[in-house]
Amino acid sequence: MTDYTPVEMMTVAASRVLSSTDVCFAGVGPPSEACNLARVLHAPDITLIYESGTIGARPCVLPLSVGDGELCETALNTVSVAEMFRYWLQGGNISIGFLGAAQIDRFGNINTTVIGDYRKPRVRLPGGGGAPEIAGSCDQVYIIVRQSTRGFVETLDFVTTYGHGKGGSSRQDVGFSTAGPTLLFTDLGIWAPDPETRELTVVSMHAGVSRDQMAATVGWPIRYADHVEETPIPSGKELEMLRDLHARTCAAHQIHK
Amino acid sequence: MTDYTPVEMMTVAASRVLSSTDVCFAGVGPPSEACNLARVLHAPDITLIYESGTIGARPCVLPLSVGDGELCETALNTVSVAEMFRYWLQGGNISIGFLGAAQIDRFGNINTTVIGDYRKPRVRLPGGGGAPEIAGSCDQVYIIVRQSTRGFVETLDFVTTYGHGKGGSSRQDVGFSTAGPTLLFTDLGIWAPDPETRELTVVSMHAGVSRDQMAATVGWPIRYADHVEETPIPSGKELEMLRDLHARTCAAHQIHK
Amino acid sequence: MTRVAVISLDEAIAEYVFDGATVAFEGFSHLIPFAAAHETIRQRRKNLTLVRMTPDLIYDQMIGMGCAQRLVFSYAGNPGVGLLRRLRDAVENSWPNAVEICEHSHAALANAYVAAASGLPLMIFRGYRGVDLPRFNPEIGKVSCPFSGEELAAVRAINPDVTIIHAQRADRSGNVLVEGIIGMQKEAVLAARHAIVTVEEIVDDLAAHANACVLPHWILDALCVVPGGAHPSYAQGYYRRDNAAYREWDSIAADRHRFQEWMNENVLEQDHTVFASRAIASREGHD
Amino acid sequence: MTRVAVISLDEAIAEYVFDGATVAFEGFSHLIPFAAAHETIRQRRKNLTLVRMTPDLIYDQMIGMGCAQRLVFSYAGNPGVGLLRRLRDAVENSWPNAVEICEHSHAALANAYVAAASGLPLMIFRGYRGVDLPRFNPEIGKVSCPFSGEELAAVRAINPDVTIIHAQRADRSGNVLVEGIIGMQKEAVLAARHAIVTVEEIVDDLAAHANACVLPHWILDALCVVPGGAHPSYAQGYYRRDNAAYREWDSIAADRHRFQEWMNENVLEQDHTVFASRAIASREGHD
């Protein structure tokens, strides 16, 4: 089956790396979508955690907010937001933090705060929310975001969430003991940090994507791994489950597309 | 009715100062007994808090431990011990801390840790438990303990719980903003700190108690208020309710006296 | 400790929310106290410092109506929809007035409430490493661990003059049950000098299990019965989130004039009793 | 994260409780894991650092049997009865061996667990002012608030090698429900490298409400079904506290010889299955 969109490919690719033993802090939107797709496909026992305090949520439809009622109704347990950030996240009990981004740089640092100057912003974005500490305390971080020159920038306007800093040993130097961003999923490919420089490096490109397309959507000279894989296209099952999830979600939220 | 014991007088006297608007952190034993007597007598809406985390307990029988099942079963709510000490006690939500003592000095400082040297004790007592921070964070502290020369000492072997320190402004100097011990109930009388020196001063003596008896049970020269009251003897109702409470407690705990 | 007063919402707001006050309307996605915010707007409160982890529509409306002088927050979005356009207009264009920003991460703001609920002047946490925000927020500091030498982030406690929350129900003594996604409600109430709680209903028996999130009557000041008072957010067990209202807000808030018309019609010309019917409509729309 | 293993109590103790380990057997008056302590005694573990807010009979027994090298605690009494005589004999007379004391107040030790559960090296609190204990305990320090200048007490985090608790029940995935007086169980489990939970039973459905104290299976290592495993303390909903056993302990523990006879007969010559009948006897005695 080749009838799929680049965004569907992105979500499917991200879902594939998740397994039933993962405990995953899921941001709303594409991260939550990839996590729930994994759950219905091949990771039925994955533990999904939302910053609203729900532990082990198993929603039938995708939540519109991190605090949707269905997350709590299907969860094993719901704790206060303070307990979530103190005991569960900072306590080191979460294996994967799954984040989105507005701006990202080559070292996986993220800006979701402002475009322009902080004190006189051109665009005031939502801010960090849980991301700065999710990226610090989870064993590793996955990022999912569509490529664009607006989003993939040479220099962030603001460092909201620390990735690999300026590369190399930056992350340890600042005091982190966690791995930081280990995978970046986009609509065009999959990136992973170089073992030495920690620069995000293209390790897989989705079927039919060219290096010209890659270059046109990224604001810095892209590094490629020695062997760049081609991401396997979505299977019929993967697409069917993803589209079912969307259809259920739209019906439940009364979204007419 | 004059057929009552000095300990019954002590408990009744302590119960009289409690009211329905009090939120009272009750230690097990005599403090808990006075609190529950007040609750069944004249303070039906008093909020009793035990360090096990129970808020608003209404036990029919006196608990043997701070964590008896009946405290939880009759409570409005039960929180973790951490929450109890952090949010409820340290957060400043408790008006009265009601404590016992092994040793007490003239300024209401308490020792419940050791007799003798800390590192080589003659008697190893239970230790502070909740008392040091109860005495620091409650608006005021009531103490209930029987008088004896072993217990009412010139110098404590160990300061477990701070009262009025060395008197005067000691308590503020150490950094407390709470009132500390404001009343001491014994089997012989009622004591309160002098407004200036903060030395515990006899303000009421139970009926029939002489100053010689007082002196024989206290290890320092006692100060008396200018006008020492005579504590009203227990009413029939007070004694009846206290003895009912004891009878129910003994029956429930299968104690045969 | 004083007994909570069961009074009307307009009395409660009039008594405790004064011009210039620091106010937290808390509720993390769930149980957001919209009715109390609308009453505050109707009473034309000014120069408020508004504290909330997720400003959401509730503060977009208050900011757009000129109630706010300062905003303390950690994530300012319309969840699942986009940005908060009235907040942006205030920050980017000072309309209707400039709003000072005191920005945190979720972890930091949650810890600031925990600090205040715990009666402490600060709380420590592991956070803000390598990022830009501490340069712009003097409420963020550092503490060295005397045991390990590790440098930790510190955040100053937040003690609102008044915290306002919505909850499912209270009993006749005024004890309040919050259940489901409980967010920071307990901490925000304990952090504040005064607390107002709006509830769906008052019942004979809370029917709360032993370890539920219960707020005893003696830590509350005012209790107001406002059925539907969390609409368009939700009250688990009562009505569901009105996602359509959240989506619709994006276009209402996009235009200053349309925003003002909407606020006139739906807030200024109403009173809190309208929330009951909104919640019913929301329930019928969804079930 | 790994899945909890449902194994026998002797296997669990053999695997996780090693000589010299720091072990917390937690449970505040309620749900005290006596069966696990007795198994540890039977396995002749030595040189343990025993951590517990209220040592209670459970540590009086372990200390008397020579399992302990060090005791970390905040209140060492037999609740409602008196002192702990085996603990006193160890501290006052080094019998059967000297036991080093690391003493806290409840607030401090609770905060030390909170620190560890929160992944921090310390926690701060307002306490220990003017008192003698900080002179004898190097785990107590001070921190200055960078905002207010106030000096606060600090306590070093306690990270046990293994925490052992008893709980009412688990579901078939190994998720555990603790209810009633929940003490420090969640914090002690999250503070530890490994966690063993004994439960009254395993059920199909935990039947826990949304905000109950639940420990997900992936933070636990071993789950053991030991009905009655908290006797002579109690398990709310299952059996009541055996107050007679607590009172009787005072005379048993008063004499070294009688203590040893009692331990031989009731611990060394038994296995954990005896607890089921003890709890039934306790229930019948009380109802």
Side-chain angles (χ1 to χ4, degrees):
Chain A
M1 188 190 291
T2 52
D3 177 22
Y4 60 89
T5 68
V7 168
E8 285 176 332
M9 180 72 254
M10 172 174 82
T11 306
V12 166
S15 76
R16 288 172 180 160
V17 298
L18 299 167
S19 77
S20 273
T21 56
D22 284 324
V23 177
C24 190
F25 207 114
V28 152
S32 168
E33 197 172 329
C35 290
N36 280 293
L37 180 59
R39 188 171 60 75
V40 295
L41 275 171
H42 58 266
D45 291 334
I46 190 172
T47 299
L48 300 187
I49 290 185
Y50 290 84
E51 64 193 12
S52 57
T54 58
I55 297 174
R58 307 173 65 82
C60 280
V61 303
L62 297 172
L64 201 62
S65 86
V66 292
D68 274 18
E70 205 194 349
L71 296 178
C72 175
E73 285 162 13
T74 63
L76 170 65
N77 191 224
T78 300
V79 301
S80 74
V81 169
E83 180 177 325
M84 176 51 66
F85 278 94
R86 291 158 57 88
Y87 288 1
W88 297 91
L89 179 63
Q90 186 177 259
N93 294 301
I94 302 183
S95 55
I96 296 166
F98 214 136
L99 301 175
Q103 279 187 338
I104 186 169
D105 71 12
R106 73 181 71 191
F107 293 112
N109 304 298
I110 292 172
N111 171 23
T112 52
T113 303
V114 287
I115 305 297
D117 179 67
Y118 183 76
R119 292 213 174 81
K120 199 86 188 98
R122 273 208 315 288
V123 184
R124 175 64 230 196
L125 299 168
E133 284 76 24
I134 291 171
S137 289
C138 293
D139 296 345
Q140 56 181 327
V141 174
Y142 297 162
I143 303 170
I144 184 165
V145 59
R146 280 193 272 180
Q147 289 184 204
S148 74
T149 49
R150 268 189 8 176
F152 282 57
V153 296
E154 179 71 41
T155 306
L156 298 181
D157 289 15
F158 191 92
V159 178
T160 309
T161 301
Y162 199 84
H164 295 291
K166 298 191 180 307
S169 65
S170 302
R171 195 172 164 88
Q172 296 96 295
D173 298 346
V174 172
F176 290 105
S177 58
T178 50
T182 52
L183 285 171
L184 164 64
F185 301 93
T186 74
D187 49 343
L188 302 184
I190 303 174
W191 307 54
D194 178 88
E196 291 298 313
T197 66
R198 312 311 290 162
E199 178 174 338
L200 292 174
T201 303
V202 177
V203 295
S204 186
M205 282 160 64
H206 302 334
V209 172
S210 68
R211 293 201 176 194
D212 283 351
Q213 271 179 284
M214 294 292 290
T217 53
V218 171
W220 66 80
I222 301 171
R223 290 185 66 91
Y224 291 89
D226 291 344
H227 300 285
V228 177
E229 310 278 332
E230 180 177 289
T231 316
I233 64 167
S235 71
K237 178 77 180 276
E238 285 172 330
L239 275 183
E240 183 193 329
M241 298 300 264
L242 176 57
R243 288 170 184 177
D244 280 358
L245 195 57
H246 270 283
R248 285 199 303 275
T249 300
C250 289
H253 296 168
Q254 298 183 293
I255 297 168
H256 310 291
K257 282 203 171 158
Chain B
M1 186 191 290
T2 53
D3 177 21
Y4 61 88
T5 69
V7 168
E8 286 176 332
M9 180 72 253
M10 172 175 81
T11 305
V12 166
S15 76
R16 289 172 180 158
V17 298
L18 298 167
S19 77
S20 273
T21 56
D22 284 324
V23 177
C24 191
F25 207 116
V28 152
S32 168
E33 197 171 329
C35 290
N36 279 293
L37 179 60
R39 188 171 61 76
V40 296
L41 275 171
H42 58 266
D45 291 335
I46 189 171
T47 298
L48 299 187
I49 290 185
Y50 291 84
E51 64 193 11
S52 57
T54 58
I55 297 173
R58 307 173 65 83
C60 279
V61 304
L62 296 172
L64 201 63
S65 87
V66 292
D68 274 18
E70 204 193 350
L71 297 177
C72 174
E73 285 162 12
T74 62
L76 171 64
N77 192 224
T78 300
V79 301
S80 74
V81 170
E83 181 177 324
M84 176 51 66
F85 278 93
R86 291 158 56 88
Y87 288 0
W88 297 91
L89 178 64
Q90 184 177 262
N93 294 301
I94 303 182
S95 55
I96 296 166
F98 215 135
L99 300 175
Q103 280 187 338
I104 186 169
D105 71 13
R106 75 182 67 189
F107 293 112
N109 305 297
I110 294 172
N111 172 23
T112 51
T113 302
V114 288
I115 305 298
D117 180 66
Y118 182 78
R119 291 214 175 81
K120 197 84 188 105
R122 275 208 312 290
V123 184
R124 175 63 232 198
L125 299 169
E133 284 76 23
I134 291 172
S137 289
C138 293
D139 295 344
Q140 55 181 327
V141 174
Y142 297 163
I143 303 170
I144 183 165
V145 60
R146 281 192 272 180
Q147 289 183 206
S148 75
T149 49
R150 268 191 6 177
F152 281 57
V153 297
E154 178 71 40
T155 306
L156 298 181
D157 289 15
F158 191 92
V159 179
T160 309
T161 301
Y162 199 86
H164 296 291
K166 299 191 181 305
S169 65
S170 301
R171 194 172 164 88
Q172 297 95 293
D173 298 346
V174 173
F176 290 106
S177 57
T178 50
T182 53
L183 285 170
L184 163 65
F185 302 94
T186 76
D187 49 342
L188 302 183
I190 303 173
W191 307 55
D194 178 88
E196 291 297 313
T197 67
R198 313 308 292 161
E199 178 173 340
L200 292 173
T201 303
V202 177
V203 294
S204 186
M205 282 160 65
H206 303 335
V209 172
S210 70
R211 293 203 177 194
D212 285 351
Q213 272 179 284
M214 294 292 290
T217 52
V218 172
W220 66 80
I222 300 172
R223 291 186 66 92
Y224 291 87
D226 292 344
H227 300 283
V228 176
E229 310 279 332
E230 181 177 289
T231 317
I233 64 168
S235 71
K237 178 76 181 279
E238 286 171 330
L239 275 183
E240 182 194 330
M241 297 300 264
L242 175 57
R243 289 168 184 178
D244 281 357
L245 194 58
H246 271 285
R248 284 199 303 275
T249 300
C250 290
H253 296 170
Q254 298 184 294
I255 299 169
H256 312 290
K257 283 204 170 156
Chain C
M1 305 284 169
T2 54
R3 179 164 285 272
V4 59
V6 180
I7 54 179
S8 69
L9 180 58
D10 49 339
E11 286 177 288
I13 298 297
E15 182 156 355
Y16 294 105
V17 183
F18 53 90
D19 286 353
T22 296
V23 190
F25 292 77
E26 266 302 337
F28 200 92
S29 302
H30 180 211
L31 294 169
I32 301 175
F34 273 95
H38 286 188
E39 182 58 36
T40 305
I41 291 169
R42 274 192 294 274
Q43 294 193 18
R44 296 290 184 186
R45 286 294 173 279
K46 295 284 177 218
N47 302 322
L48 301 177
T49 291
L50 295 176
V51 186
R52 205 179 135 70
M53 295 190 68
T54 53
D56 199 88
L57 273 52
I58 189 174
Y59 280 7
D60 213 34
Q61 293 171 357
M62 294 183 77
I63 290 167
M65 293 299 284
C67 300
Q69 177 178 64
R70 188 161 185 259
L71 178 68
V72 182
F73 75 104
S74 47
Y75 183 89
N78 179 345
V81 177
L83 303 176
L84 293 174
R85 297 175 184 277
R86 292 297 96 226
L87 166 61
R88 281 189 58 188
D89 208 9
V91 171
E92 297 167 16
N93 310 309
S94 301
W95 193 94
N97 56 274
V99 171
E100 189 191 335
I101 288 292
C102 176
E103 181 168 6
H104 285 289
S105 68
H106 277 348
L109 188 43
N111 274 298
Y113 278 130
V114 167
S118 304
L120 294 176
L122 82 161
M123 189 41 63
I124 52 174
F125 66 107
R126 188 177 289 110
Y128 281 144
R129 285 190 171 150
V131 300
D132 285 340
L133 199 56
R135 292 196 284 124
F136 297 98
N137 186 343
E139 309 292 299
I140 303 168
K142 287 178 179 176
V143 158
S144 255
C145 173
F147 308 110
S148 66
E150 182 180 353
E151 193 169 73
L152 294 160
V155 62
R156 190 201 294 268
I158 291 178
N159 292 93
D161 293 307
V162 55
T163 285
I164 303 173
I165 66 164
H166 187 76
Q168 276 102 341
R169 54 188 173 273
D171 66 19
R172 301 210 180 274
S173 299
N175 303 302
V176 168
L177 173 69
V178 185
E179 61 181 1
I181 289 175
I182 54 179
M184 295 301 296
Q185 273 96 319
K186 183 184 273 190
E187 288 80 3
V189 163
L190 291 175
R193 286 170 195 85
H194 297 288
I196 302 172
V197 182
T198 59
V199 292
E200 290 294 325
E201 58 177 337
I202 291 180
V203 296
D204 289 329
D205 180 2
L206 270 192
H209 71 102
N211 309 121
C213 179
V214 170
L215 305 171
H217 63 85
W218 42 272
I219 60 164
L220 308 175
D221 294 276
L223 183 65
C224 314
V225 181
V226 186
H231 180 274
S233 80
Y234 70 106
Q236 191 140 346
Y238 291 83
Y239 47 92
R240 296 170 70 180
R241 192 171 191 268
D242 188 348
N243 287 317
Y246 271 84
R247 279 197 307 278
E248 197 188 346
W249 182 254
D250 197 49
S251 57
I252 295 165
D255 178 81
R256 290 176 186 174
H257 184 66
R258 187 163 169 214
F259 164 74
Q260 287 175 316
E261 277 185 342
W262 192 94
M263 293 301 292
N264 275 334
E265 186 183 337
N266 293 284
V267 178
L268 298 181
E269 293 164 11
Q270 303 288 346
D271 66 30
H272 67 75
T273 59
V274 73
F275 278 87
S277 56
R278 286 178 185 166
I280 289 168
S282 163
R283 183 164 54 226
E284 286 169 350
H286 277 289
D287 286 354
Chain D
M1 306 282 170
T2 55
R3 179 163 286 272
V4 60
V6 181
I7 55 180
S8 69
L9 180 57
D10 50 340
E11 287 177 288
I13 299 297
E15 181 157 356
Y16 293 106
V17 183
F18 53 90
D19 285 355
T22 296
V23 189
F25 293 76
E26 266 303 338
F28 200 92
S29 303
H30 181 211
L31 294 171
I32 300 176
F34 273 95
H38 286 189
E39 182 57 35
T40 306
I41 292 168
R42 275 192 294 275
Q43 295 193 18
R44 297 290 185 186
R45 285 295 175 279
K46 295 283 177 218
N47 302 322
L48 300 177
T49 290
L50 294 176
V51 187
R52 208 179 131 69
M53 294 189 69
T54 54
D56 198 89
L57 275 51
I58 189 173
Y59 280 6
D60 214 33
Q61 295 171 354
M62 294 183 77
I63 289 167
M65 293 300 282
C67 301
Q69 179 179 63
R70 187 162 187 258
L71 177 68
V72 182
F73 76 105
S74 47
Y75 184 88
N78 179 344
V81 179
L83 302 176
L84 293 175
R85 296 175 185 278
R86 292 297 95 224
L87 166 62
R88 281 189 58 189
D89 208 8
V91 171
E92 297 168 15
N93 310 310
S94 300
W95 191 93
N97 56 274
V99 171
E100 187 190 337
I101 289 291
C102 176
E103 182 169 5
H104 285 289
S105 68
H106 277 348
L109 188 42
N111 274 298
Y113 279 130
V114 167
S118 304
L120 294 176
L122 81 161
M123 189 42 63
I124 52 173
F125 65 108
R126 187 177 289 110
Y128 281 143
R129 286 191 170 150
V131 300
D132 285 341
L133 198 56
R135 292 196 284 123
F136 298 98
N137 186 344
E139 309 292 301
I140 303 168
K142 288 178 179 176
V143 157
S144 255
C145 173
F147 308 110
S148 66
E150 182 180 352
E151 194 170 72
L152 294 159
V155 62
R156 192 202 294 266
I158 291 179
N159 292 93
D161 292 308
V162 54
T163 285
I164 303 174
I165 66 164
H166 187 75
Q168 276 102 340
R169 54 187 173 275
D171 66 19
R172 301 206 181 276
S173 299
N175 303 301
V176 168
L177 174 68
V178 186
E179 60 182 358
I181 288 176
I182 54 178
M184 294 301 295
Q185 273 96 318
K186 183 184 273 189
E187 287 81 4
V189 163
L190 292 175
R193 285 170 196 85
H194 296 288
I196 301 172
V197 183
T198 59
V199 292
E200 291 294 324
E201 58 177 336
I202 290 181
V203 296
D204 289 329
D205 180 2
L206 270 190
H209 72 103
N211 309 120
C213 179
V214 170
L215 304 171
H217 64 85
W218 41 272
I219 61 164
L220 308 174
D221 294 277
L223 182 65
C224 314
V225 181
V226 186
H231 180 274
S233 80
Y234 70 107
Q236 190 141 346
Y238 290 82
Y239 47 93
R240 296 172 68 178
R241 193 171 190 267
D242 187 348
N243 286 319
Y246 270 85
R247 280 197 306 279
E248 198 188 347
W249 182 253
D250 198 48
S251 58
I252 295 165
D255 178 81
R256 289 177 187 173
H257 184 67
R258 188 167 169 211
F259 163 75
Q260 286 175 315
E261 279 187 342
W262 192 93
M263 292 301 290
N264 275 332
E265 187 183 334
N266 293 284
V267 178
L268 297 181
E269 294 165 9
Q270 303 289 345
D271 66 28
H272 67 75
T273 58
V274 73
F275 277 87
S277 56
R278 287 178 183 164
I280 288 167
S282 163
R283 182 164 55 223
E284 286 168 351
H286 276 288
D287 286 353

